[in-house]
Amino acid sequence: MTVIDSATLERRQTRIVSDVLRDVPGVAVSRIGAVGGQTQVRIRGSESNHVLVLIDGIEAADPFQGEYDFAALIAEPAARIEVLRGQQSSLYGSDAIGGVISYTTLTGREAPGYSARLEGGSFGTISGAARAAGAAGDFDYALSASYHGTNGYPTARGGSRDVGSDSGGANGKFNWTPGETFKLTGVLRFSHIDADTNNSEFDTASPLFGYTVDSPGVRYTNRALYGLLSAQLSALDGRWTNTLSGQFADTERKGYTSFGFDYGDKGRRYKGSFTSSLTLGDEALIHRITAAADLERETFRNLTSFAFQGQRHTDNLGLVGQYELIGETLSLGASVRYDDNDRFDDATTWRVQGSYRLPTGTRLRAAYGTGVKNPGYFELYGYIDGRYIGNPDLRPEKSKGWEVGIEQGFGIDNWATVGATYFDSKLTNEIYTDYPPPNFDATPANRTTDSKQHGIEIFASAHPIPQLRFDLAYTWLKSKENGVAETRRPRHVASVNATVMSADQRLAGTLTLRYHGRTTDNAYTDPSYVPVTVSMRDYVLMNLALDYRVSGGISIFGRVENLLGQEYEEVFSFATPGRAAYGGVRLSF
């Protein structure tokens, strides 16, 4: 697991959460066009819909699309990100083949106070955030809001249309703790994005057929409302905890052209969970036994006029058992989950893991797990006239994999830590896009061959003195589908972050270097609409961020992104921004 705390987000001046995920081992990020364009995150060579995303404990994926679009996630003050890699379906069920990304806003007790941030810069960008949090007696609260707006830049090669976006959100988290044995938590979150996009040239007679072109009036909106309410009751001096929770996600996505509404979908998810965990033993050796059950209903509806617009739903009952042994040198764990699904085959997934710390401080660890991913509803029932037809007969994808790793700390206070992990996974029943004759309309199908992913993840972190910190991440990945390298998964990804602070800690500077290796993508430049594979070159991005505390809670900051002015593409024929500069002020008290 990789943890990105609120201090790291602030040092790197993170505004779009997906950008800081580029610094996590095993993670690849691709954005279609400018900020606001569809943003996909892949872990260990998996698909983006194989990554479960939790926001304050709420499953955030769009039920219709079957994945979470990171374009709408703007970084907030006092937040924390955890990235858990590997098959995690034994705890979380479907969607967790590649791993889990958890984005959490801190509570009023964890980070009390008031803060505000305002900045502006290149491409007519205005960004801001505010937070108010505190505690009074048994009650604590945290309210936050964020906004990011930009006029954008041309995303078509040689184009002139600026592709901009407006995105924002608000979040509230509340806790009531009337005693040591009871806690009530509530979360309510809203997000909205309105973003321009460009289409591909559809005229087969045009020399630009299949390339991104200026598309005036083309845009999309994505609105989401999330909520969670949980009650936790503990007994036996806190050794036995029982949590009952309910959550919902309500999403709506609509696309427009210059002629008006073009396509859309709605999705809702309702989930109730009960978890009971008993801890035995003492500080030297802890045994923890956990049982859990969750009941989930997903509903979905296609809003596109030429497709079936009736509402469908899927129900799933999940049962989980977990055992953990936690000692000073040895830790072991095992979990199993059974899913009873009324639309797809029932599934049983499991995972075992362990680690051992040698007297030298070296920690060895290993794990083996299985995963499952149910088809998304767009894959099942989606329809785009003359271009895409869903397949209601799709079967769930299944995965299994193992990993081994080593970590070593240095110094009494672990002023430096280095680690490496080797992983190996195999995916069966992979859902891919087929183009059957005579019309060659795209339609999804299950592969009869296996897809394989294996690679190495390396990280290093060091803070030899309080005023200096280094963080390094590197991933080598080999991911093949039907024997062919998978698209948008670079063989090599690396990043280095170096932060230097003045002795009085009023001035701080962070230099970020990100290397994105050569990768491939699909290009629909053949009039038959069958994609051809294209290669995209590697590139290095350099960002520099400076922050100066003027006095008390007043700070000024600035940063330059793509300092080297690199010209590159993350997705075929979508241009990316050149050098850009931003600056602003932050207040906190």
Side-chain angles (χ1 to χ4, degrees):
M1 183 175 71
T2 297
V3 177
I4 304 173
D5 59 19
S6 58
T8 300
L9 294 174
E10 187 172 302
R11 284 196 304 268
R12 299 178 193 176
Q13 297 188 23
T14 303
R15 302 297 176 254
I16 311 299
V17 170
S18 58
D19 286 341
V20 79
L21 293 176
R22 301 174 190 270
D23 300 330
V24 176
V27 172
V29 179
S30 59
R31 176 184 297 138
I32 299 178
V35 170
Q38 183 188 28
T39 306
Q40 296 181 310
V41 175
R42 296 172 172 85
I43 298 180
R44 291 185 172 177
S46 66
E47 292 290 350
S48 56
N49 63 354
H50 293 166
V51 178
L52 178 68
V53 178
L54 303 174
I55 299 180
D56 279 330
I58 304 169
E59 289 189 27
D62 180 336
F64 185 83
Q65 298 292 334
E67 66 179 83
Y68 181 72
D69 184 355
F70 276 86
L73 189 55
I74 308 301
E76 297 161 282
R80 169 187 172 97
I81 303 171
E82 296 179 358
V83 181
L84 184 62
R85 294 178 288 275
Q87 290 84 351
Q88 306 295 333
S89 291
S90 63
L91 293 180
Y92 298 97
S94 178
D95 297 3
I97 282 180
V100 180
I101 297 176
S102 176
Y103 177 83
T104 304
T105 57
L106 302 185
T107 68
R109 293 190 188 277
E110 292 172 322
Y114 302 89
S115 64
R117 181 191 74 231
L118 180 64
E119 71 174 48
S122 299
F123 314 121
T125 298
I126 298 177
S127 177
R131 186 176 192 269
D138 302 333
F139 180 76
D140 69 78
Y141 70 95
L143 302 172
S144 60
S146 59
Y147 169 79
H148 190 280
T150 176
N151 294 334
Y153 55 87
T155 63
R157 296 179 183 177
S160 60
R161 182 201 180 207
D162 288 338
V163 175
S165 64
D166 289 284
S167 57
N171 191 83
K173 178 182 283 189
F174 311 92
N175 290 292
W176 179 51
T177 313
E180 295 182 356
T181 61
F182 182 77
K183 181 179 181 180
L184 188 67
T185 299
V187 177
L188 190 63
R189 183 181 188 87
F190 174 78
S191 67
H192 183 272
I193 185 169
D194 189 334
D196 298 329
T197 58
N198 276 330
N199 285 335
S200 298
E201 175 61 73
F202 298 129
D203 183 1
T204 56
S206 170
L208 295 177
F209 174 75
Y211 288 83
T212 302
V213 294
D214 286 344
S215 308
V218 175
R219 65 183 181 90
Y220 84 95
T221 62
N222 193 350
R223 174 202 58 80
L225 180 66
Y226 307 100
L228 177 144
L229 183 64
S230 71
Q232 179 177 292
L233 180 66
S234 61
L236 304 178
D237 295 326
R239 290 177 175 268
W240 186 21
T241 60
N242 297 275
T243 304
L244 180 66
S245 67
Q247 61 176 264
F248 73 87
D250 188 324
T251 63
E252 181 180 78
R253 188 180 184 99
K254 292 183 177 180
Y256 301 86
T257 68
S258 57
F259 300 101
F261 176 73
D262 184 33
Y263 66 89
D265 56 77
K266 290 179 66 70
R268 289 191 178 96
R269 180 185 300 106
Y270 305 94
K271 184 176 182 178
S273 304
F274 176 74
T275 303
S276 182
S277 183
L278 177 64
T279 301
L280 304 172
D282 52 32
E283 293 182 357
L285 189 63
I286 296 173
H287 301 267
R288 182 175 296 124
I289 303 170
T290 303
D294 55 64
L295 182 62
E296 179 180 271
R297 165 167 286 197
E298 290 184 332
T299 65
F300 50 97
R301 186 160 65 91
N302 198 329
L303 302 180
T304 306
S305 59
F306 45 76
F308 173 72
Q309 295 185 340
Q311 180 170 285
R312 295 182 172 93
H313 73 269
T314 300
D315 294 330
N316 188 91
L317 171 65
L319 303 174
V320 178
Q322 183 183 29
Y323 169 74
E324 298 169 277
L325 183 148
I326 304 172
E328 294 182 358
T329 58
L330 176 67
S331 295
L332 300 173
S335 55
V336 62
R337 178 183 174 101
Y338 174 74
D339 284 289
D340 184 347
N341 193 286
D342 70 343
R343 183 178 297 275
F344 307 108
D345 293 338
D346 298 341
T348 300
T349 51
W350 56 277
R351 182 179 176 88
V352 292
Q353 57 194 34
S355 69
Y356 182 75
R357 182 167 57 86
L358 299 172
T360 58
T362 307
R363 181 170 290 277
L364 307 175
R365 47 186 169 77
Y368 184 97
T370 64
V372 65
K373 166 60 181 174
N374 295 327
Y377 303 123
F378 181 76
E379 294 171 325
L380 293 167
Y381 305 109
Y383 181 80
I384 302 175
D385 189 24
R387 295 164 54 202
Y388 184 90
I389 302 174
N391 179 2
D393 297 323
L394 292 173
R395 304 186 306 278
E397 299 170 292
K398 296 183 179 181
S399 174
K400 58 183 179 181
W402 58 274
E403 63 182 79
V404 293
I406 183 172
E407 293 181 16
Q408 177 67 57
F410 299 91
I412 298 176
D413 59 349
N414 276 341
W415 64 270
T417 305
V418 298
T421 301
Y422 176 85
F423 63 89
D424 189 286
S425 299
K426 182 168 68 175
L427 183 67
T428 59
N429 291 341
E430 180 168 19
I431 297 174
Y432 74 106
T433 303
D434 193 16
Y435 301 86
N439 297 325
F440 299 102
D441 291 338
T443 186
N446 290 104
R447 284 204 185 277
T448 57
T449 56
D450 296 337
S451 296
K452 299 179 180 180
Q453 305 86 30
H454 63 269
I456 299 173
E457 301 161 346
I458 298 174
F459 80 92
S461 179
H463 50 94
I465 58 175
Q467 292 80 30
L468 184 62
R469 180 181 179 91
F470 297 97
D471 292 284
L472 177 147
Y474 169 74
T475 305
W476 175 82
L477 172 69
K478 190 173 183 180
S479 180
K480 289 192 173 183
E481 177 183 353
N482 199 31
V484 179
E486 296 196 82
T487 60
R488 302 184 189 177
R489 295 161 178 83
R491 180 69 63 91
H492 305 278
V493 176
S495 72
V496 177
N497 283 272
T499 298
V500 181
M501 303 182 69
S502 61
D504 59 5
Q505 297 190 351
R506 295 181 62 178
L507 175 64
T510 297
L511 178 68
T512 299
L513 287 171
R514 292 173 179 148
Y515 173 74
H516 188 282
R518 181 178 294 274
T519 187
T520 61
D521 202 0
N522 288 329
Y524 293 83
T525 54
D526 189 303
S528 68
Y529 287 100
V530 177
V532 296
T533 301
V534 295
S535 178
M536 296 186 297
R537 68 177 181 84
D538 58 349
Y539 56 88
V540 176
L541 298 181
M542 177 186 291
N543 299 338
L544 178 62
L546 297 174
D547 191 299
Y548 179 70
R549 179 164 53 86
V550 178
S551 64
I554 303 176
S555 299
I556 57 175
F557 59 84
R559 69 184 181 279
V560 179
E561 297 181 351
N562 193 6
L563 187 61
L564 302 178
Q566 287 274 292
E567 296 182 2
Y568 65 99
E569 291 182 0
E570 292 185 3
V571 177
F572 171 71
S573 82
F574 279 91
T576 49
R579 187 179 296 109
Y582 307 89
V585 61
R586 182 176 59 253
L587 308 176
S588 60
F589 54 94

